Amino acid sequence: MSPHDQAPQDVALGPLIGKLERLSPLSAEDRDAFLSLPAKTRTFSPGSYLVRDGEQAEHVTGLVSGFAFRHKLTGEGARQIVSVHMRGDFVDLHNSFLECADHNVQTLTEARVVLLPRLAVRDLALQRPGIAKAMWIDTLIDSSIFREWVLNVGRRDSLTRIAHLLCELSLRLQFAGLCESHRYRLPMTQEQLADATGLTSVHVNRVLKSLDRSGLIRREGRSLAIENWDRMAEAGDFNGRYLHLQAD
Amino acid sequence: MSPHDQAPQDVALGPLIGKLERLSPLSAEDRDAFLSLPAKTRTFSPGSYLVRDGEQAEHVTGLVSGFAFRHKLTGEGARQIVSVHMRGDFVDLHNSFLECADHNVQTLTEARVVLLPRLAVRDLALQRPGIAKAMWIDTLIDSSIFREWVLNVGRRDSLTRIAHLLCELSLRLQFAGLCESHRYRLPMTQEQLADATGLTSVHVNRVLKSLDRSGLIRREGRSLAIENWDRMAEAGDFNGRYLHLQAD
DNA sequence: CGTAACTTTGATTAGTATCAAAAATGGTGG
DNA sequence: CCACCATTTTTGATACTAATCAAAGTTACG
C-alpha cells in the first residue's frame, strides 16, 4: 500500500497536459510552465487512498495509468461511488482551491500518478489564464458528469442505469485511447458497479446477465464488449453530450 | 412568461458580488471591474426557463431574488432536479466556458435575475485572477453539492433523503439571509421535492407526514420549521461540510 | 494447491411505485 | 367578496422492482 518512489526523469506529465490542451489550447509558455512544476511520480497498489474525506491534501494528483474512483459514505457505512477516473484525469483539482476534501479517492487498480504541490498548481493557475481556463473547464466537465449521475441514480431503472454507466465508460476509455470498437477490460468489480449505480451487487449481476442474454454485451471474465452500440445506447438512455468530449 | 425589463439603475449586483467575496476576497479593482460589467436586470415569472438543454446561452445568469432549479430529463420524460438555487447564486457560470448547456434551469418562483454577457464574464475571469478564483470556487462548491446529491439519491432511504434535503435548504437559506432558527418557506411543491430526491410525490407526502408526526418538523401550509435541528440532522444523515459555507 | 475475492443462483421480503380519487389550497374573474 | 377552477396535498389499495439472506460456483493469486 505504500507508494513506490521513482526517479524524477520518469515523471510523465504527457497524458495530463494532453488532456488540458484538448480542453483549451495552451501557449508554449503555458505548457513549459506546467511542465516545470516540481512533479513527483508514484505508483500505488490497488485500493490505496489518494484522497481522504476530511483531510487537506498537500498535492494535486493526476492519473498517468490505471484507474481510480471517488466515493462518499453514508453514516450507516453505505458507499456511493460518484466518479471513475482514468489516464489523463486529475482526481482532485478542486483541492488547489478548497481546503478539506469532502470525499475519498481510492485506486481501483495499480496506478501511476503524478503529484503536484497544491500551492504551486494554484499559483500557476492564478498567473496563467490559459492554464486556469483549461483546468476550470476540466472541473466543469466533472461537474456535468456528476449531474448526469444524479439523474442516472435518481430516475433510471436498474438495467438502464447499468447500461448507461457501461456506455459512459466505453466512450471515455475510447477517448483516453484505452479501448476501441466498444470493447474494454472493465476496471470494476460488480460490487463497485453496484456502488456506482446505487444498486446491490446481486442485482448488478442479474442485470449484466440480462444484458448479456439479450445480446447487448458480451462478457469474458472481466472483459466486456458492447455488441451493438446503438441498441445499447438506447437501452442505457445514453447520449454522450454531457461528457463534452468534442472540443467545444 | 416573458421577461420584464427594468431600468439599468435598478441593476442589483450586490447579492452576487457579496457571495463571490465571501468565497475569495476581491481587490477594489476586481470589484469595480465586476460592477462595471454591462449587466441587465430582468424579472421572470415562475416556471420560466433561464437555461435550456442543448442551447448556448448568451448570458451568465445570477439570481438576485426568488428561486430556481436545475433539472435533466430521461428519454422517458422523468425529471430529476439536480440543484436548487437562491439569491446570490449564479445558475450557469459554467456556460462562460462550455458551449452547450446539458440541462435546464427554470425559475421556481418569481425571480429577479441579473444577466451578464457570457463573453464579458469570460474575459473578465481571464484578465483578473481574483475574479477567476472566486468564480472557480463557486463552481467547485456546486460540484461538491452534486456529489452529495449522488450519495443522497443513490444510498439513502426515502426519509433520510428528504430530511437531508430539508437540512441543506435550511442551512443555505440561512446563509443567504432568508431564514433563521431553521424556519423557512419551502419554495418547492412536493412533486418538486420528489424530483429532487428521486422519489414520487405520493411518497414524499407520506415521508413529510411521518417527519411531522415524529416531531422533527412542523408545517403550516408551505412554511416549514425544523423543530429539533440535531435530531433532524441525525435523521437526514446531514453534515453540512460539503457546502463549504465557512470560509476555507 | 490452497485460499480469499468475486460471481452466480435461488427464495423471500421490504420499500417505493403505481393507480385512483378525495380533500384542501390558492389564485382569478365576475 | 364570493364562486370557480387549477393546482397541490392527502389518503387508500395494490403491484412490482430491487433488497436481503443464504449458499454454491468460479476465478485469480500467493
Side-chain angles (χ1 to χ4, degrees):
Chain A
M1 293 291 265
S2 74
H4 186 265
D5 274 51
Q6 290 178 343
Q9 64 270 26
D10 279 344
V11 166
L13 289 169
L16 297 167
I17 200 158
K19 188 179 182 194
L20 288 181
E21 288 196 286
R22 215 189 64 226
L23 298 177
S24 174
L26 300 180
S27 67
E29 301 83 60
D30 285 342
R31 199 165 33 241
D32 290 348
F34 183 81
L35 290 172
S36 53
L37 283 173
K40 284 182 285 191
T41 303
R42 296 280 186 282
T43 300
F44 287 91
S45 55
S48 306
Y49 278 84
L50 301 179
V51 176
R52 266 183 205 277
D53 198 347
E55 291 187 3
Q56 152 86 83
E58 269 319 293
H59 295 96
V60 166
T61 312
L63 261 173
V64 175
S65 74
F67 293 89
F69 67 107
R70 191 187 305 250
H71 71 274
K72 304 189 69 147
L73 300 170
T74 67
E76 304 224 292
R79 179 174 70 170
Q80 177 68 43
I81 294 179
V82 300
S83 58
V84 177
H85 293 284
M86 57 191 66
R87 173 161 93 198
D89 290 350
F90 286 100
V91 302
D92 54 1
L93 212 38
H94 51 84
N95 123 43
S96 50
F97 284 109
L98 294 181
E99 299 291 317
C100 264
D102 48 57
H103 58 262
N104 304 285
V105 178
Q106 259 180 297
T107 54
L108 216 38
T109 60
E110 178 167 285
R112 286 181 67 217
V113 307
V114 168
L115 299 176
L116 305 168
R118 185 177 100 79
L119 296 177
V121 172
R122 196 181 66 178
D123 292 344
L124 185 69
L126 291 176
Q127 282 153 27
R128 302 202 153 266
I131 299 267
K133 182 181 174 192
M135 288 184 168
W136 193 356
I137 291 177
D138 187 61
T139 60
L140 288 173
I141 293 175
D142 278 353
S143 216
S144 171
I145 299 177
F146 293 138
R147 287 192 289 268
E148 183 72 22
W149 281 43
V150 176
L151 173 66
N152 202 37
V153 164
R155 283 297 185 217
R156 294 196 179 108
D157 67 25
S158 59
L159 190 138
T160 315
R161 246 183 257 187
I162 294 287
H164 189 280
L165 176 58
L166 295 179
C167 286
E168 177 182 314
L169 287 175
S170 180
L171 234 51
R172 288 176 56 204
L173 286 167
Q174 187 179 0
F175 224 76
L178 296 170
C179 89
E180 51 184 30
S181 58
H182 304 302
R183 180 184 310 274
Y184 56 92
R185 179 155 242 286
L186 196 61
M188 307 163 76
T189 67
Q190 292 180 8
E191 188 169 11
Q192 288 158 346
L193 288 174
D195 285 342
T197 49
L199 300 167
T200 60
S201 62
V202 172
H203 200 66
V204 166
N205 183 271
R206 297 194 224 270
V207 168
L208 287 175
K209 199 175 48 173
S210 146
L211 286 169
D212 204 333
R213 264 204 318 265
S214 57
L216 291 177
I217 63 174
R218 199 154 39 75
R219 291 177 297 160
E220 279 161 28
R222 198 66 76 75
S223 290
L224 188 137
I226 296 177
E227 291 287 87
N228 182 328
W229 174 261
D230 290 345
R231 284 212 301 139
M232 183 71 167
E234 195 186 338
D237 189 24
F238 185 80
N239 177 328
R241 223 185 52 221
Y242 72 96
L243 294 171
H244 297 274
L245 288 175
Q246 18 285 338
D248 270 313
Chain B
M1 293 294 261
S2 74
H4 186 266
D5 276 52
Q6 289 178 342
Q9 63 270 26
D10 280 344
V11 165
L13 289 169
L16 297 166
I17 202 158
K19 188 179 181 194
L20 288 180
E21 288 196 286
R22 215 189 64 226
L23 298 177
S24 175
L26 301 180
S27 68
E29 301 84 60
D30 284 343
R31 199 165 34 239
D32 290 349
F34 183 81
L35 290 173
S36 53
L37 283 172
K40 281 182 287 192
T41 303
R42 295 281 185 282
T43 301
F44 287 90
S45 54
S48 306
Y49 278 84
L50 300 179
V51 176
R52 265 183 206 277
D53 198 347
E55 291 186 3
Q56 151 86 84
E58 268 319 293
H59 295 95
V60 166
T61 311
L63 261 173
V64 175
S65 74
F67 294 90
F69 67 107
R70 192 187 305 250
H71 70 274
K72 305 189 68 149
L73 300 170
T74 66
E76 304 224 293
R79 180 174 69 172
Q80 177 68 44
I81 293 179
V82 299
S83 59
V84 176
H85 294 284
M86 57 191 66
R87 173 161 93 199
D89 289 350
F90 286 101
V91 301
D92 54 2
L93 212 39
H94 50 83
N95 123 42
S96 51
F97 284 109
L98 293 181
E99 299 292 316
C100 265
D102 48 58
H103 58 263
N104 305 285
V105 178
Q106 259 179 298
T107 54
L108 215 38
T109 61
E110 178 167 284
R112 283 182 70 216
V113 307
V114 168
L115 300 175
L116 305 168
R118 185 178 100 80
L119 297 176
V121 172
R122 196 181 65 179
D123 292 344
L124 186 69
L126 291 175
Q127 281 153 28
R128 305 202 151 265
I131 300 267
K133 182 181 175 194
M135 288 185 170
W136 192 355
I137 291 176
D138 187 61
T139 61
L140 288 173
I141 292 175
D142 278 353
S143 215
S144 171
I145 298 176
F146 292 137
R147 286 191 290 270
E148 183 71 22
W149 280 43
V150 176
L151 173 66
N152 202 37
V153 164
R155 284 296 185 218
R156 294 196 179 106
D157 68 23
S158 58
L159 190 138
T160 315
R161 246 183 257 187
I162 295 287
H164 189 280
L165 176 58
L166 296 179
C167 286
E168 176 181 315
L169 287 175
S170 180
L171 235 52
R172 290 176 56 203
L173 286 167
Q174 186 178 2
F175 224 76
L178 296 169
C179 89
E180 50 185 30
S181 58
H182 304 300
R183 179 185 310 275
Y184 56 92
R185 179 154 242 285
L186 196 61
M188 307 163 76
T189 66
Q190 292 179 9
E191 187 169 12
Q192 289 158 348
L193 288 173
D195 285 341
T197 50
L199 300 167
T200 59
S201 61
V202 171
H203 201 66
V204 166
N205 183 271
R206 297 194 224 269
V207 168
L208 287 175
K209 199 174 49 174
S210 146
L211 286 169
D212 205 332
R213 263 203 319 263
S214 57
L216 291 176
I217 63 175
R218 198 155 40 76
R219 292 177 296 160
E220 280 161 27
R222 199 65 77 74
S223 290
L224 189 136
I226 296 177
E227 291 288 87
N228 182 328
W229 174 261
D230 290 345
R231 285 213 300 138
M232 182 70 169
E234 195 186 338
D237 188 24
F238 185 81
N239 177 329
R241 221 185 52 221
Y242 72 94
L243 294 172
H244 297 272
L245 287 176
Q246 18 285 336
D248 271 314

